[in-house]
Amino acid sequence: MTFADLGLVPDIERAAQRRGFSTPMPIQSAAIPAILDGADVLATAHTGSGKTVAYALPLLQRLRNLPLVERGPAAVVLVPTRELAAQVGAVLRGLAQALPWRTRIVAAFGGVSIQPQMMALRGGADIVVATPGRLLDLVEHRALGLSAVRLLVLDEADRLLDAGFADEWNRLQALVPAARQNLLFSATFPPAAEALADSVLQTPRRIAVDTGDAPQPAIVQRAIRVDTGRRTALLRHLIATEGWQRVLVFVATKHSAEHVAEKLYRAGIFATAFHGDLSQGTRTQVLEELRAERWEVVVTTDLAARGIDVAQLPVVVNYDLPRSPVDHVHRIGRTGRAGAAGVAVSFVTPEMEAHFRLIEKRQGLQLEREVVEGFAPRQVAVDAGGGALHTAPGAVGSRGTGGVKGQRPSKKDKLRAAAALAATAGIAPATPSTGDEGNS
């Protein structure tokens, strides 16, 4: 099948080929005809499957005959992060540059001065790619209006429809025309987000490609048991022994990102932190340098879990497990993109064993727990009733399951389980380790 078979005109097909898109991927084959028909679309496909191009190509074709409105775009692409706004804008501009007609595209996001973005909009724009907050800022500054919007795209739609963007989303809905085409794309659609999506869409065409929360086959997942305080040392060991050249490491907090990156850097590994407290210029530079293979390790929060595209990124590590199975899907999707091979490693501490089992259950997986020589955990995980979930070689203590609301053992449960295990082993219970990670 070719892009022409999907209904794209020759100019659009040539533009795709010049950008290296020669054969449609499954999500593109399914979504492009529906978008060209003018239908609302709810599309779900795994990360790295080509969703951006799936809406970018028909969007450019649908806009080619629409008149340019001086103070408002005909299409708006909403994204949750600054990095994704820049990335989607670059994809659209790259495709548009190969077309014989002019398409004005402006990417707008916070963290940088609004003035250059206002200047870019002075001559009008066909497509605006923006984060919700900055788009509202531009409207308030009268840099653009949204009354001419005919196509509205929500990229990472489940994130845009969750509680964190509720106020901004409600304000934006009041500004765009009710008669419009809506395109919602995401790798995951939890039930709550899908219910909100139904309130936005009109008789949508639902497209699901390689869904379920299972990752694409190109990603090999590994789960390694380790005590909390030994994670950084284990990470250093794996980088050295397995020859990892570029690694994206996910942690729970901004402080942990700085803390772990600093420890790795002091150990002679070129590592840096990436999180929301950094300036936009620094964030952009870090990503560019990661893509250029100047950093061995980037330690990040979930800021980098969605939309960040680093070609041939070989390894992702969950130093801290994500809060939800959905976030796990997005995190590991940073590797193995576009069918390339990738490895996703999760550090499973005793207190997070129960939470990782929940992640496995939601993905339909059951991973073997690895124990790396020299890093066998000394703690044991206990279930809510005080029983051991697993006992590692040499395990002598207990710190509870943690991570799963409503299943935390009480202090008495922990002490009872530790005492029972110690009695069986004939040794005294261990004191919970503070580790070398501080609060990380």
Side-chain angles (χ1 to χ4, degrees):
M1 180 178 290
T2 67
F3 282 108
D5 295 329
L6 303 177
L8 294 174
V9 298
D11 286 329
I12 297 286
E13 183 182 24
R14 282 192 291 270
Q17 291 173 343
R18 289 174 187 173
R19 300 300 296 180
F21 306 114
S22 56
T23 303
M25 299 179 74
I27 183 61
Q28 296 158 6
S29 297
I32 288 173
I35 297 172
L36 291 177
D37 285 346
D40 280 7
V41 170
L42 177 65
T44 312
H46 61 64
T47 57
S49 60
K51 292 188 294 294
T52 302
V53 174
Y55 66 74
L57 292 173
L59 191 65
L60 290 168
Q61 180 161 318
R62 294 215 65 206
L63 293 180
R64 65 179 178 144
N65 294 322
L66 292 178
L68 177 65
V69 179
E70 183 178 353
R71 294 190 56 79
V76 168
V77 181
L78 285 179
V79 296
T81 68
R82 306 169 190 173
E83 286 71 28
L84 187 53
Q87 185 172 289
V88 171
V91 171
L92 282 164
R93 280 192 291 268
L95 291 167
Q97 286 172 358
L99 295 174
W101 62 86
R102 185 182 183 188
T103 304
R104 296 184 181 183
I105 300 161
V106 175
F109 45 85
V112 295
S113 171
I114 197 172
Q115 295 300 324
Q117 296 169 5
M118 292 175 64
M119 292 292 293
L121 289 165
R122 279 193 172 181
D126 297 290
I127 304 172
V128 171
V129 183
T131 54
R134 180 47 60 96
L135 185 62
L136 287 168
D137 288 343
L138 290 167
V139 172
E140 290 174 0
H141 282 78
R142 298 185 179 180
L144 83 168
L146 300 179
S147 61
V149 172
R150 296 293 177 265
L151 296 100
L152 179 64
V153 182
L154 273 62
D155 196 334
E156 302 289 355
D158 63 328
R159 178 74 181 91
L160 290 166
L161 293 174
D162 72 15
F165 287 96
D167 179 62
E168 293 167 332
W169 170 241
N170 289 334
R171 292 167 61 192
L172 285 170
Q173 280 202 101
L175 296 173
V176 295
R180 64 180 189 270
Q181 184 179 10
N182 301 287
L183 311 176
L184 276 58
F185 282 77
S186 186
T188 55
F189 260 107
E194 191 156 355
L196 285 172
D198 287 338
S199 68
V200 176
L201 301 168
Q202 299 291 326
T203 58
R205 297 192 190 176
R206 297 177 182 271
I207 298 168
V209 177
D210 290 340
T211 57
D213 285 345
Q216 61 256 52
I219 299 175
V220 175
Q221 287 203 60
R222 298 169 58 187
I224 302 178
R225 284 177 173 156
V226 61
D227 285 331
T228 300
R230 296 282 285 159
R231 289 174 298 170
T232 302
L234 174 59
L235 181 58
R236 293 198 306 263
H237 174 79
L238 292 172
I239 291 170
T241 59
E242 305 211 5
W244 294 345
Q245 298 298 313
R246 284 188 302 165
V247 188
L248 191 62
V249 177
F250 284 98
V251 296
T253 67
K254 301 169 188 175
H255 170 76
S256 293
E258 295 284 352
H259 186 69
V260 174
E262 181 181 4
K263 280 185 170 291
L264 293 174
Y265 196 84
R266 287 180 177 179
I269 296 170
F270 286 102
T272 191
F274 180 84
H275 54 73
D277 281 352
L278 300 176
S279 70
Q280 186 57 44
T282 300
R283 285 161 58 169
T284 300
Q285 182 178 358
V286 168
L287 288 178
E288 289 176 351
E289 290 174 344
L290 177 63
R291 292 183 177 109
E293 303 185 22
R294 295 176 188 171
W295 291 111
E296 293 176 81
V297 179
V298 170
V299 187
T300 182
T301 61
D302 277 327
L303 172 68
R306 291 172 178 262
I308 302 301
D309 187 12
V310 179
Q312 305 298 317
L313 179 67
V315 182
V316 166
V317 173
N318 285 313
Y319 183 99
D320 290 313
L321 293 182
R323 291 176 60 87
S324 76
V326 168
D327 291 337
H328 184 77
V329 173
H330 288 279
R331 281 185 179 189
I332 68 174
R334 297 313 100 204
T335 187
R337 298 182 69 80
V343 175
V345 177
S346 294
F347 289 169
V348 184
T349 63
E351 55 266 61
M352 295 303 288
E353 173 67 29
H355 185 51
F356 192 70
R357 289 189 177 197
L358 175 62
I359 290 172
E360 288 180 302
K361 181 179 179 181
R362 295 290 174 82
Q363 289 193 18
L365 296 174
Q366 188 171 358
L367 301 177
E368 178 184 355
R369 302 293 189 270
E370 301 177 36
V371 176
V372 176
E373 184 177 358
F375 295 91
R378 301 184 72 248
Q379 309 291 319
V380 294
V382 297
D383 62 22
L389 285 173
H390 74 267
T391 303
V396 295
S398 168
R399 295 190 61 183
T401 59
V404 183
K405 187 177 180 181
Q407 295 186 11
R408 297 179 186 272
S410 68
K411 184 177 180 180
K412 288 183 179 180
D413 289 332
K414 296 178 184 179
L415 292 173
R416 188 183 304 114
L421 287 166
T424 301
I427 53 178
T431 301
S433 169
T434 58
D436 64 1
E437 314 303 346
N439 293 323
S440 68

